[in-house]
Amino acid sequence: MRVRFALAEAHDVRDAHDAGDWRPSDYRALARELECWCEAYAKEWNATSQPSELHRIQETVWKAADELRRISK
């Protein structure tokens, strides 16, 4: 949710359902957290499932992290 709110805020596309004035204090830190989560997720996925679509999930997460870094400038 925090990533969605950060990206929506940065691109001025928030809607009435978005939480009040929530804003990330550090987009770069949020990007790092997202990447760490993705690595942990991939590790768990590989321990319990076939790789199949994992690469698509990782690609989406990495693009979101890249965008968070881009908008932090």
Side-chain angles (χ1 to χ4, degrees):
M1 287 295 266
R2 292 185 307 149
V3 173
R4 183 182 82 80
F5 286 140
L7 294 173
E9 174 72 23
H11 293 285
D12 198 29
V13 291
R14 294 177 66 174
D15 61 29
H17 301 290
D18 289 342
D21 292 326
W22 186 89
R23 286 185 179 81
S25 58
D26 184 350
Y27 287 104
R28 288 181 180 276
L30 186 55
R32 282 190 302 275
E33 287 178 41
L34 182 60
E35 289 169 333
C36 287
W37 171 85
C38 187
E39 292 303 316
Y41 183 81
K43 187 175 183 179
E44 183 65 28
W45 180 298
N46 287 327
T48 60
S49 304
Q50 300 268 335
S52 65
E53 298 297 311
L54 177 60
H55 70 282
R56 293 181 197 274
I57 295 168
Q58 290 173 309
E59 183 179 311
T60 300
V61 169
W62 292 330
K63 285 181 180 180
D66 288 345
E67 181 64 9
L68 287 168
R69 287 188 180 92
R70 188 190 71 75
I71 62 180
S72 73
K73 296 178 181 179

